[in-house]
Amino acid sequence: MFKILEKRNLAPNVFLLRIHAPRVAVAAQPGQFVIVIADERAERVPLTIANYDREEGWVDLVVQASGPSTTKLSQKEKGDELKDFVGPLGVPSDFTELSDEELKKQKYLFVGGGIGAAPVYPQVRYLSERGIHCDVIIGFKNKDAVIYEEEFKDLDCTLYVTTDDGSYGFNGMVTAKIDDLIENEGKSYDTCVAIGPMIMMKFVCLTTKKYDLHTIVSLNPIMVDGTGMCGACRVNIDGETKFACVHGPEFDGHKVDFDLAMKRQKQYMNVEKTKGQQVWRNA
């Protein structure tokens, strides 16, 4: 069993869970994910790692209570235990293969949408610890939804917070801020890494394509099983079928067929609702 060491409410329906999982923490790399099962009646939930500490043996996850499985997980409290916590899974971020000298030659822009700001954090932290400065955009619907702002301030990065309604930070979506940085501030980048809702990543890629800016996206949102067995995370990458959980979760965003991926994502919505109702009736 895996004990919850800490629980924090970050925003409405968004919670941070710090899990004691030494074997996962010691092997974790930026970009990877875990599979979590809250209890014996819960479903598998794939979540991208939001932070980790190898010495203390913990892993942070950020959970948004949006369906029955994530709601059950978010209702756990400090001191409770999770039935299963498996990982790290997936392929680490490409930049973990580069030397510090190679990294210093690259200019990175990170874009996190909503709770996608959380898995962006360990990537920026990884670079910051190696003396690599980067720019970070995190976007939210409004001021109340902002998370991880203080955490990023402790890293070697320039942070830009955006809100769709203009209630805090830059007034507009993350794509508008990308345009602003490149066109108005004269910024240039070698790689953009975008993590967030599928629709956000799609439009980030449409924006960066205008600037011929290499863009990496994380396709964790379409996972179900997390091992490649169920086939739910099939995605078309430059005409080839890949599985997000075993070949990813990160891919070249300009090669992803987002329309097909989002269509596949929707086909499981009614199944999730039906199973969720059964779970609550049997709980």
Side-chain angles (χ1 to χ4, degrees):
M1 303 293 274
F2 301 87
K3 183 176 289 188
I4 298 175
L5 303 177
E6 180 181 340
K7 178 184 180 181
R8 283 191 285 139
N9 188 190
L10 302 181
N13 294 321
V14 177
F15 302 88
L16 180 143
L17 299 178
R18 176 162 292 177
I19 315 299
H20 183 249
R23 295 179 66 180
V24 177
V26 76
Q29 294 282 358
Q32 293 184 298
F33 67 97
V34 295
I35 292 289
V36 183
I37 302 179
D39 58 38
E40 65 277 1
R41 292 182 176 178
E43 295 181 324
R44 302 161 68 95
V45 180
L47 294 168
T48 312
I49 295 171
N51 200 7
Y52 53 87
D53 189 299
R54 303 191 196 284
E55 293 184 3
E56 296 187 8
W58 52 257
V59 174
D60 280 352
L61 302 177
V62 172
V63 183
Q64 183 172 33
S66 56
S69 300
T70 50
T71 297
K72 178 176 282 192
L73 187 57
S74 68
Q75 289 174 340
K76 292 286 187 177
E77 299 293 342
K78 179 180 178 180
D80 289 347
E81 295 183 332
L82 304 176
K83 182 180 183 297
D84 283 308
F85 192 89
V86 180
L89 301 172
V91 181
S93 300
D94 288 347
F95 57 72
T96 61
E97 298 294 324
L98 300 179
S99 68
D100 290 358
E101 290 305 312
E102 289 173 314
L103 287 172
K104 289 176 181 178
K105 297 176 183 178
Q106 302 292 311
K107 293 182 180 179
Y108 285 92
L109 171 66
F110 290 86
V111 182
I115 62 170
V120 163
Y121 175 81
Q123 303 203 17
V124 178
R125 182 189 128 185
Y126 179 93
L127 294 177
S128 179
E129 290 174 346
R130 287 156 179 77
I132 315 299
H133 181 89
C134 55
D135 286 353
V136 180
I137 303 171
I138 51 175
F140 308 90
K141 290 183 178 180
N142 51 52
K143 183 178 180 179
D144 291 339
V146 175
I147 64 172
Y148 267 70
E149 181 180 12
E150 294 305 315
E151 286 83 351
F152 279 110
K153 287 181 179 180
D154 291 333
L155 303 181
D156 183 12
C157 68
T158 301
L159 179 66
Y160 304 92
V161 181
T162 77
T163 51
D164 297 351
D165 64 358
S167 56
Y168 187 70
F170 179 85
N171 184 359
M173 297 184 179
V174 294
T175 49
K177 188 58 187 177
I178 295 173
D179 285 331
D180 180 58
L181 290 176
I182 295 175
E183 295 184 6
N184 299 327
E185 297 192 25
K187 298 267 191 172
S188 63
Y189 305 98
D190 298 296
T191 299
C192 173
V193 178
I195 305 178
M198 293 288 284
I199 190 66
M200 183 219 81
M201 292 189 289
K202 172 184 176 178
F203 279 95
V204 166
C205 289
L206 290 174
T207 300
T208 57
K209 201 166 188 177
K210 298 186 302 183
Y211 305 110
D212 195 26
L213 174 55
H214 176 55
T215 303
I216 299 296
V217 297
S218 176
L219 299 186
N220 180 280
I222 65 172
M223 293 185 197
V224 177
D225 175 83
T227 64
M229 297 295 289
C230 71
C233 68
R234 292 196 306 277
V235 62
N236 188 303
I237 308 294
D238 201 22
E240 295 185 24
T241 297
K242 301 286 185 180
F243 292 88
C245 60
V246 293
H247 298 119
E250 297 186 347
F251 296 95
D252 184 334
H254 294 162
K255 296 181 179 180
V256 175
D257 186 334
F258 279 102
D259 292 334
L260 181 60
M262 288 188 288
K263 184 177 180 181
R264 183 179 300 283
Q265 190 179 30
K266 290 180 180 178
Q267 77 182 69
Y268 297 98
M269 292 178 71
N270 289 334
V271 176
E272 172 71 6
K273 287 181 180 179
T274 301
K275 286 190 175 183
Q277 291 168 355
Q278 293 173 347
V279 167
W280 290 119
R281 280 200 296 267
N282 295 331

